[in-house]
Amino acid sequence: MSGMKIEIDGKAVPFEEGDTIMEAATRAGVYIPHLCHNPEFTPHGSCKLCTVKVNGRNCSACTFPATDGQQVLNDTKELNDTRRTITQMLFVEGNHFCPSCEKSGNCQLQAVGYFLNMLDGHFPHFYPQRCVDASHPDILLDRDRCILCELCVRASRDVDGKNVFGLSGRGIASHLVVNSDSGLLKDTAMAATDKAAQVCPVGAIIVKRHGFEVPIGKRIFDGQEISDWSLEREASEAGE
Amino acid sequence: MADKLKVATTSLAGCFGCHMSFLDIDERLLELAEVADFDRSPITDIKHCSEQVDIGLIEGGLCNAENVHTLREFRKHCKILVAVGACAINGGIPAMRNHIPLEECLQEAYLDGVGVDNPQIPNDPELPLLLNKVHPVHEVVKVDYFLPGCPPSADTFWKFLTDLASGREPSLPYALVHYD
């Protein structure tokens, strides 16, 4: 170990040269809420859910480097209130009808909402009009549920080597696009076994014919908070 | 008893599933009846609230002009208004029509749909006019509490109401917070 430490909510957390705050925290068993971060991929810093206060300034924990002696605030009312507001905005800017979604119960957006005790959307709903792409025989792309985390973009580019996805447009018009002449998923090389088909934290990319396989009550987040699930799953990755 | 809580319930654009789930508190209804009286509710078949009701539970979203009228009247008479279930909170399943222009919805349902006999769009003056989009209740009136779920479980209703009746700030444990 390098002997270098940061403090998160008063707890000493060791880190290695090159670590982000998120990596150091995850290895030490400290959960920082996140959606666009996944230790398997290059940090993106877009969802802002992992915003922490570093030496008095707000920073994204998934992209901000740890440096010796940093004072980090994470689990505070102020930050969790802001995170709840961000999550509410994600809900109202999409069309998240949980009861009709195959991903419900296994959805990280939903689970973050539960974790932050989000009981409503607070803001007026946008109900945006977005295209569903059901053209692929094995994969459904439902842009209504996309939160623009770009995990599929990164997975397709960095792991699958296919560059199937990208983001287009700006602001509220931002949307996921498919890299084919027709713009349809069926005209790409994407396969249901691709990392990009497995990595979506919400129900935007789902593999067909696998819906509702696990009964209500036995799905991931029916019994387990995303903080525990996330740390269990990601700690080993962060340790590498 | 003058000091008993008055509880009212009503439904807008929903499926009445939240009311059914509420009734699933089963024999605890008797316990509830010790501290609360039902006012306006499909359970009592009372059509309008008393002048002042302590707690109003409302399920369903707003899909037509009558829903808006009902909601506003309900809000006026409830000290505490509780939006119950996915439809009241985000429009729920009825709001899935928001993607489709209203005219197309009506055409599909009443003119072009499979098995439609004597196609005509209903136009009776007694029918409330549809809104272009389905909306959650907090977009029209102030809501004091939200009980998510489709529907919220009986235990969620029970925990919430017993917290309120005991003068505690209602809080739901993790197991009782669900959006589906």
Side-chain angles (χ1 to χ4, degrees):
Chain A
M1 293 298 283
S2 63
M4 295 187 291
K5 286 187 172 70
I6 58 175
E7 257 190 32
I8 304 181
D9 296 332
K11 176 185 173 182
V13 170
F15 71 96
E16 298 292 321
E17 188 69 38
D19 272 356
T20 60
I21 291 172
M22 179 72 84
E23 284 164 338
T26 304
R27 202 183 299 115
V30 175
Y31 174 68
I32 301 175
H34 56 272
L35 283 167
C36 76
H37 169 72
N38 179 323
E40 294 176 65
F41 303 102
T42 318
H44 195 247
S46 62
C47 78
K48 301 299 174 199
L49 215 63
C50 71
T51 299
V52 289
K53 213 169 255 280
V54 183
N55 295 340
R57 294 174 57 195
N58 285 342
C59 305
S60 297
C62 71
T63 55
F64 205 76
T67 56
D68 202 22
Q70 253 169 358
Q71 298 291 316
V72 179
L73 293 178
N74 168 44
D75 188 14
T76 69
K77 183 180 182 305
E78 180 195 349
L79 286 166
N80 285 329
D81 284 351
T82 305
R83 289 169 182 153
R84 192 181 311 109
T85 300
I86 291 169
T87 311
Q88 286 170 323
M89 288 162 74
L90 286 171
F91 266 84
V92 303
E93 287 173 10
N95 295 298
H96 297 281
F97 301 115
C98 297
S100 71
C101 179
E102 289 180 28
K103 189 83 172 188
S104 196
N106 301 321
C107 167
Q108 292 173 44
L109 176 65
Q110 203 180 46
V112 160
Y114 297 161
F115 178 83
L116 297 167
N117 199 29
M118 185 193 116
L119 302 180
D120 72 310
H122 182 78
F123 301 102
H125 282 258
F126 285 39
Y127 297 125
Q129 304 265 345
R130 293 179 183 161
C131 288
V132 172
D133 182 347
S135 64
H136 195 287
D138 299 320
I139 302 159
L140 176 74
L141 171 58
D142 186 345
R143 292 183 177 85
D144 281 342
R145 303 165 185 160
C146 179
I147 55 170
L148 308 175
C149 68
E150 291 201 43
L151 277 167
C152 58
V153 178
R154 287 175 273 168
S156 185
R157 182 189 64 212
D158 302 342
V159 179
D160 305 328
K162 294 182 178 177
N163 277 314
V164 169
F165 297 105
L167 284 194
S168 182
R170 295 179 68 83
I172 190 60
S174 299
H175 61 287
L176 194 63
V177 288
V178 171
N179 183 17
S180 67
D181 286 345
S182 62
L184 294 173
L185 209 52
K186 73 179 169 71
D187 296 321
T188 67
M190 188 166 174
T193 48
D194 286 357
K195 189 75 181 175
Q198 315 292 331
V199 78
C200 182
V202 291
I205 299 175
I206 52 175
V207 177
K208 291 180 180 177
R209 295 176 290 279
H210 288 278
F212 308 108
E213 281 177 334
V214 181
I216 290 176
K218 300 200 166 172
R219 304 164 307 180
I220 297 170
F221 300 115
D222 287 337
Q224 191 177 20
E225 293 203 40
I226 193 167
S227 50
D228 298 332
W229 176 82
S230 184
L231 286 171
E232 265 175 37
R233 203 168 144 269
E234 296 171 4
S236 58
E237 296 276 345
E240 284 168 11
Chain B
M1 282 170 64
D3 55 353
K4 266 187 167 182
L5 288 173
K6 273 189 190 172
V7 177
T9 77
T10 195
S11 178
L12 306 173
C15 70
F16 264 100
C18 295
H19 273 85
M20 300 309 290
S21 187
F22 181 29
L23 290 177
D24 274 345
I25 66 174
D26 297 333
E27 70 277 9
R28 289 176 290 186
L29 272 171
L30 299 175
E31 246 179 278
L32 185 62
E34 306 255 317
V35 294
D37 281 331
F38 277 104
D39 197 81
R40 173 189 175 149
S41 173
I43 299 163
T44 57
D45 206 22
I46 297 171
K47 309 292 188 198
H48 295 277
C49 287
S50 302
E51 191 49 43
Q52 192 68 277
V53 168
D54 295 298
I55 304 167
L57 305 170
I58 192 157
E59 76 160 279
L62 303 154
C63 83
N64 63 36
E66 187 189 32
N67 292 154
V68 178
H69 171 81
T70 304
L71 172 63
R72 287 193 168 132
E73 185 192 318
F74 199 67
R75 169 72 274 189
K76 207 167 92 183
H77 293 283
C78 295
K79 284 187 202 163
I80 294 172
L81 183 69
V82 189
V84 173
C87 302
I89 291 172
N90 68 11
I93 301 299
M96 292 178 79
R97 81 148 152 96
N98 289 351
H99 291 57
I100 304 159
L102 183 57
E103 193 179 346
E104 277 180 39
C105 289
L106 290 168
Q107 273 177 356
E108 181 64 24
Y110 295 107
L111 301 180
D112 307 330
V114 176
V116 170
D117 192 27
N118 185 23
Q120 55 181 312
I121 293 178
N123 193 27
D124 191 288
E126 284 202 10
L127 291 174
L129 289 172
L130 291 175
L131 305 179
N132 278 339
K133 287 194 172 175
V134 177
H135 292 273
V137 298
H138 77 269
E139 291 184 17
V140 172
V141 297
K142 179 182 182 295
V143 176
D144 300 295
Y145 293 101
F146 298 84
L147 292 187
C150 184
S153 67
D155 286 341
T156 307
F157 280 101
W158 180 249
K159 175 73 168 66
F160 177 80
L161 288 172
T162 48
D163 275 356
L164 264 190
S166 315
R168 292 189 296 268
E169 183 61 23
S171 75
L172 300 175
Y174 182 83
L176 296 183
V177 179
H178 280 277
Y179 303 157
D180 60 3

